[in-house]
Structures are given as C-alpha cells and as structure tokens.
Amino acid sequence: LDFACGPSSEVVISGQRNDPDTQSLFRALRRLYAPGKTVVFRPSDESKTDIEAIASYVGPLESINGRATAYVCTHFTCSQPTNDPDRMIELLKGSPAG
C-alpha cells in the first residue's frame, strides 16, 4: 500500500558484489529508514545480467572509474552517479521517498 500511495525511489548499485566499496554503499542504505525505496543491484563484472531481464533500465547504469556506483532514481529519472555513500544518502533524502 505504501508503494501504491506514496512516492518511491529506486537506488541502483552497480559494482562487484564482494568489493569493499560495494558493501559500503549497501551498509549506508541499511542505516537509512526510507520505506519507499527499492534497491537494485547490477553486477558490473557480468556482461549481461539477470536483473536486466526484469529491469531493463539498469542496463546502461555502470560502475564509474572501476568503483561501485550508486544511482538514485525517482519518476524514471536518475541522479548523477556517485561513488560516495554519504552523497548517495543525501540524494535519497532529497528524493520524495527519502
């Protein structure tokens, strides 16, 4: 019901699953209470990922400079990508679901 009525945001994280920078982005997201957020992981070390079959919009969202990268998206528009967990949280808090 919350997703149907309220604003929502998607956070797409592109990176390698076990890299420390990827885990740092996930840790930052777990600390934030934002019930209207959906987190999507796009593995950067795979050429074609299973998640792209479900959410085709994640295809072009890639890691930048070889580091895990977060994209905060609202209403089919994504923010500038960031590698910084604090910046990702700022973007999420500034979105309607944050």
Side-chain angles (χ1 to χ4, degrees):
L1 183 61
D2 204 20
F3 278 99
C5 295
S8 64
S9 293
E10 296 80 35
V11 179
V12 179
I13 295 179
S14 180
Q16 294 185 15
R17 186 174 316 274
N18 296 317
D19 276 1
D21 53 338
T22 304
Q23 294 305 311
S24 178
L25 292 172
F26 282 125
R27 271 192 306 278
L29 286 170
R30 284 192 294 270
R31 287 191 303 262
L32 176 69
Y33 177 74
K37 79 174 182 296
T38 302
V39 179
V40 178
F41 176 64
R42 183 194 180 282
S44 64
D45 52 351
E46 299 175 19
S47 59
K48 186 70 172 174
T49 63
D50 290 337
I51 194 67
E52 290 178 64
I54 299 167
S56 60
Y57 69 94
V58 304
L61 305 181
E62 298 180 347
S63 295
I64 296 178
N65 298 326
R67 295 184 58 215
T69 303
Y71 297 81
V72 177
C73 309
T74 305
H75 300 296
F76 306 103
T77 302
C78 295
S79 66
Q80 289 289 337
T82 184
N83 306 106
D84 179 21
D86 292 331
R87 178 67 182 141
M88 174 189 64
I89 296 302
E90 286 175 17
L91 290 166
L92 189 56
K93 284 182 176 180
S95 73

